[in-house]
Structure formats: structure tokens, C-alpha cells
Amino acid sequence: MSSERIAFLDAISRDPDADDLRLIYADWLDDNGDEARAEFIRVQCEIAQLDSTNPRVIQLRRREQDLLASNEQRWLDELRSRFNLLPSSGANFHRGFLERIVVWSDDFINKAKVIFERTPCRKVEILFKKGIDLTPLASCPELSQVQQLGFSQGADEQGLRALFSKDLTDLRVLSTRAWPHITQAIAQWLGASRLTHLSLCHANYWIPWLNPLLNNPSLANLRSLHLERNGLEAAGARALMESPLISNLTELGLSGNNLATDGMDALVLSTSATQLKRLDLSLNGHAGEGIEAEAMRSLARSTAFPQLESLDLSQNFIDSQGFRQLAKAKHFSNLRELILESNNVSDEGMEALSKASWLSSIRSLVLADCLLDDEALMHLSASPHLRPCRLDLGSNLFGDEGMVGLADSPVMDHVHELNLDQTAISDESVHALTKSDHTRNLCSLSIQSTGVSEEGLLQLAEVQNLPGLCELKLSGDPITDRAREGLCARFGANQF
């Protein structure tokens, strides 16, 4: 590695928040024969500056994926071999550089200095081998530079105390399983006052030792709290909403806590959660006891979340009566994202929901796996208020009749991302989409596992009426050679 490259990487690592240094480095890479990495840095830096609903993001994401398809393995192999990193299931790159690593604790101790000198990585997931002494890790000076830390349940109680006795100056995000000794160590950690995001998940049962944590005044700066799959139920929900932490939170994740109707009531009766912007209540009902209409009525009437921008109610077995109540909500004027996946919306429920005036603010609507048939889709198409940018209708029952109606609806005027995977549509639906005056903003279309044939695919490859269409998702579907040739000419070879 040249001394000039090392100097660039050192400068970027010392100032990881600055884009200008990254872009100057990209220019240097262009001049030194690494055009792909240079473009990748520019693409990811631009993505980071844009709102996710901006159609330009789809074009950039498409190019990002093309560059990763050709280069990611080489880029990551170089880093993994140099730093002994483990494969990561999350996004490794952000703004053109490695941002998150997964590493064994002893490898982190041995390699941390060079990792932080050569990369702007500040997100670390540390894995502990059973019985390992954490004292060397707690003494590692580079730990103070970590902004986001996750660790496995292999960490022992004494080691955690040693870890949290250190001055973790930059740590803002902490993620781990909600085991007793871990939550107790965090509850007693004086440095917790710096945390803005905390995720304690997968205990699978309500644990009373969370109470000291929820009432810890040192967590006053916390803005995001995730307690997924901790079996909170109604009692845990009440304890949470009585916690002083709630008044400062802007994001709350409660997926998979079996809240059911009583737990939902405990949430919506709160008067303290006025700052919440993102709320995840998915997976809190089950087939025997879904979220009842009365709970949806309470949510619709509640003034508990006046600033709410994103609401996830997926997989709660909400029925048509529940959606009729939800449609009456009076305080959803700021809602931008609504996720209703895997609920039984039905024709009645969709008819009521489509008339809700608050739909006018929705930019992203997820209705995948909601048993929507042609009649339900026609109700959606007739909505006088809905004008989303993203529309997910995958895994539903409708076919061409419903889709043709939607394609010719003003509901499609601003849609730039449309998911129709695993539906009963065919070439007739494709024809409607390509001929409609309401689909000109479409940039991304997903039609995996549908009845679209070679002729439909060729029509998408040749269409002139969709000038912005740059992404077509067909992953795993058989494609004829003739169709593949046309699609590659339009969308690029890496997509197929």
C-alpha cells in the first residue's frame, strides 16, 4: 500500500464524519486506476445525503449493487485477511468504506489499532469465546473510539463490569441480548448517560430485572429503545410506559412481545410518549388472540403519539373491523410509513381504509400478504387520498383485473417502487403498467414468481413510457434466452 494511500486512509479515519475527505480520496483513486472504488465512494456518499423516498436513491442503489457484485468479495477479502474479520450479515460499507465489523474479542484486541488507523469503522460486534478473560479487552484503548457496540451473551458478569468501568467516550449505540447479568451491568454503568440507542432483545420472557434499567436516570439521553422478543406482555408494556425514559424516545421497537389487546391499550393510554416518531408493534398478536378491533379503536382515538412518522402493525392478525377502526384515526397527519403486512385486511377493511383522509401523508405503504383480492385492490385504487412513493403488494390474491384498475389510478402517480411478487398477475398487468399515464415515475418493479411470460418481460425491456424504470427484480425466476438478452440491454447484465 502506497504512503499516499495510507495518508488518505489515516485522515479519513481520524475524521469519519467528513464526506469531503472521502470524495477527495475518490478523485485520487480515479487518477490511480481504481475507478470502481472511486465511483462506489461517490455513490454511497450521495445515497447518505438523500431522503429514502427520493427516486434517485433507487438508481444509486442499483449502481451500488452492480459495483458490489463485481468488487465486494475482493474488497472484503482484503480487509478480512488483514484484520481477521468474520463474515457479517449486515451492511459492511457505508459512504464508501467499511463501517461495521464482526470480530472475536482476542482478534479485536490484537488488531484494533490498525483497524482504526486504516478504516473509519466505528461499529463493532464482538464475539466472546466461553470462559475468556475480558480484562484485556476492557483495557484496549481503541475501545473508546467505538460508536456502536454489539456483543454476544458469552460475555461473563465480571468481564462486563470491567468493560463498563472504562470510559467508553464515543459509544452511542449498544446492542445485545437481554440476559440478566448484561442488563444489570448496563443499569449500573455510569457511562450510560452517553447512549442514544439501546437494543436489548431475545430474552423471550418478561424479565423484572429490566425495571432498574428502565428507571435508570443515567439513560436520560436515550432516543431509541428496542426490546424485541422479550415477552413483555401487558405488564411489561405498562412498566415501560411508566418509565421516565419514554418521554425522550423518538424510536421504540416492541416487536414480538405478545402485547395483544391489553398491552396495546397500555401503550395508547400513555401521555408521555409525545416525541415518538417510529413505533414497531409487529408480531404482537397470534391466530388465537389477534389485536382486537377495540385496541385499534383506542389507537385511532389516542393522542399519545402526535409526531408519529412510521408505524409497523404487521403480523398482528388484525381483522376487517380493526381496520375500520384504524381508518378513523384523527392524529396520523404526520404518518409517512405504514406497514400492515400479514394481516387479514379483506374487502371491507380495504374499503374503509382507502377512504381515510390521513392516507394523504403516507409515502410508504406495505400491504404484502394481506389476502387482497381483485375487489380489495379496486377499493385501494379508488382512494381519493393515497399517493405513495413506495407500494408493496406482494404475496396477495389479486390478478389482472385488480392490477389493471390500479395501473390506471391516480394512486400510482408518485409510485417509484412497486412490489407485485407472488401475485396472480400476467402479461395483461404488465401491458397496463407500460401504457398508463399514471406510472411514469416508476423506477423499480418487482414481479418475482408471477405469471408474467417472455412477452411481458420483453415489453418491459422495450417500453418507452417508463423512462425512469431502472430496476426489475426477477430473482430465481426462469428467463428465456431471448428475454434475458432484452432485459440485459435495458437494465444491465448484473440484474439477471
Side-chain angles (χ1 to χ4, degrees):
M1 186 180 293
S2 71
S3 58
E4 198 171 1
R5 184 188 290 264
I6 290 173
F8 268 118
L9 295 176
D10 287 348
I12 292 167
S13 298
R14 286 193 300 270
D15 193 2
D17 295 328
D19 272 357
D20 55 348
L21 287 172
R22 297 176 187 235
L23 296 174
I24 293 170
Y25 179 56
D27 291 341
W28 182 87
L29 288 171
D30 262 338
D31 294 339
N32 286 270
D34 198 347
E35 293 85 358
R37 188 63 192 276
E39 184 183 3
F40 182 68
I41 293 171
R42 294 190 188 100
V43 164
Q44 285 206 323
C45 283
E46 186 175 354
I47 289 173
Q49 297 297 322
L50 295 174
D51 185 277
S52 61
T53 60
N54 189 320
R56 169 73 174 154
V57 171
I58 293 177
Q59 299 171 357
L60 292 169
R61 288 288 186 202
R62 185 64 261 156
R63 185 56 186 152
E64 173 193 49
Q65 291 306 309
D66 288 344
L67 290 165
L68 285 172
S70 302
N71 301 282
E72 182 180 27
Q73 197 60 48
R74 174 171 58 87
W75 294 338
L76 287 178
D77 284 348
E78 290 173 0
L79 293 165
R80 286 173 183 151
S81 62
R82 196 184 315 157
F83 302 139
N84 292 349
L85 306 183
L86 297 170
S88 168
S89 59
N92 291 298
F93 291 100
H94 181 63
R95 293 162 56 227
F97 289 82
L98 186 72
E99 183 178 67
R100 177 180 177 269
I101 61 172
V102 182
V103 62
W104 288 108
S105 56
D106 49 354
D107 286 330
F108 180 80
I109 293 166
N110 295 328
K111 299 285 186 176
K113 187 175 187 296
V114 68
I115 288 173
F116 288 116
E117 283 178 351
R118 297 290 181 266
T119 76
C121 174
R122 294 298 181 268
K123 298 179 181 179
V124 181
E125 182 177 348
I126 299 178
L127 305 181
F128 301 104
K129 296 172 182 175
K130 189 173 182 179
I132 193 169
D133 181 9
L134 293 186
T135 306
L137 176 65
S139 303
C140 182
E142 284 75 26
L143 204 58
S144 65
Q145 300 179 51
V146 175
Q147 295 176 352
Q148 181 171 319
L149 176 64
F151 51 82
S152 66
Q153 65 269 32
D156 65 277
E157 186 171 353
Q158 183 177 353
L160 285 170
R161 285 181 182 152
L163 184 65
F164 287 126
S165 69
K166 299 302 177 180
D167 186 16
L168 304 178
T169 310
D170 289 345
L171 190 61
R172 299 294 181 269
V173 181
L174 181 62
S175 176
T176 183
R177 282 181 177 260
W179 294 111
H181 66 285
I182 293 178
T183 57
Q184 289 169 0
I186 297 171
Q188 297 166 8
W189 176 35
L190 297 177
S193 60
R194 301 187 187 96
L195 285 182
T196 58
H197 296 70
L198 178 61
S199 178
L200 296 168
C201 305
H202 295 279
N204 295 321
Y205 50 88
W206 166 238
I207 41 180
W209 46 84
L210 268 178
N211 281 325
L213 189 75
L214 296 178
N215 292 286
N216 183 355
S218 294
L219 290 169
N221 288 317
L222 207 62
R223 295 297 178 265
S224 173
L225 178 62
H226 283 257
L227 297 172
E228 284 88 351
R229 297 184 183 274
N230 283 316
L232 297 183
E233 299 185 332
R238 282 191 288 272
L240 175 62
M241 300 315 284
E242 291 169 2
S243 163
L245 301 181
I246 288 297
S247 60
N248 293 323
L249 293 183
T250 59
E251 181 173 337
L252 180 60
L254 296 176
S255 177
N257 276 293
N258 196 26
L259 298 181
T261 298
D262 289 344
M264 291 283 287
D265 284 343
L267 295 178
V268 301
L269 292 175
S270 169
T271 58
S272 301
T274 56
Q275 302 301 311
L276 273 185
K277 293 185 176 182
R278 301 184 65 84
L279 179 59
D280 183 356
L281 297 174
S282 62
L283 281 165
N284 277 296
H286 50 78
E289 186 182 358
I291 303 298
E292 297 174 359
E294 191 59 31
M296 289 296 97
R297 182 172 178 267
S298 298
L299 177 61
R301 289 186 171 188
S302 175
T303 59
F305 316 119
Q307 298 192 52
L308 199 63
E309 296 178 0
S310 175
L311 176 62
D312 190 343
L313 292 171
S314 58
Q315 301 185 62
N316 278 317
F317 293 90
I318 303 170
D319 61 16
S320 60
Q321 291 303 313
F323 282 104
R324 288 172 70 89
Q325 295 298 331
L326 188 66
K328 299 175 183 178
K330 303 295 184 184
H331 306 285
F332 281 180
S333 59
N334 291 316
L335 201 62
R336 300 291 180 267
E337 179 181 47
L338 180 61
I339 305 173
L340 299 173
E341 183 174 356
S342 300
N343 286 292
N344 185 11
V345 178
S346 79
D347 298 346
E348 264 187 55
M350 183 53 69
E351 182 178 14
L353 192 62
S354 66
K355 296 175 182 177
S357 60
W358 49 263
L359 283 178
S360 61
S361 66
I362 296 293
R363 294 295 170 265
S364 178
L365 178 61
V366 178
L367 288 166
D369 192 25
C370 285
L371 302 179
L372 301 182
D373 58 16
D374 287 320
E375 185 175 349
L377 203 60
M378 295 300 283
H379 287 310
L380 181 72
S381 303
S383 174
H385 307 292
L386 181 64
R387 300 294 183 270
C389 298
R390 289 176 178 161
L391 186 57
D392 186 346
L393 298 171
S395 302
N396 277 298
L397 305 176
F398 64 83
D400 291 327
E401 182 182 355
M403 192 60 231
V404 169
L406 179 62
D408 198 35
S409 164
V411 167
M412 290 293 298
D413 281 349
H414 302 293
V415 173
H416 61 250
E417 188 171 348
L418 179 63
N419 180 12
L420 301 173
D421 293 346
Q422 299 183 57
T423 58
I425 66 166
S426 69
D427 294 348
E428 184 180 349
S429 293
V430 169
H431 181 77
L433 285 169
T434 59
K435 298 301 181 183
S436 173
D437 290 334
H438 297 287
T439 57
R440 293 180 181 274
N441 287 312
L442 195 60
C443 298
S444 175
L445 177 63
S446 190
I447 50 173
Q448 301 175 60
S449 300
T450 64
V452 178
S453 73
E454 177 186 74
E455 294 308 313
L457 295 178
L458 287 171
Q459 190 168 7
L460 286 169
E462 297 165 1
V463 64
Q464 301 298 314
N465 194 45
L466 303 177
L469 187 62
C470 62
E471 181 175 61
L472 183 64
K473 297 180 182 178
L474 296 169
S475 178
D477 288 354
I479 306 173
T480 66
D481 290 342
R482 178 171 170 244
R484 187 183 303 276
E485 183 179 355
L487 293 172
C488 288
R490 169 70 184 265
F491 299 103
N494 284 332
Q495 289 197 46
F496 309 103

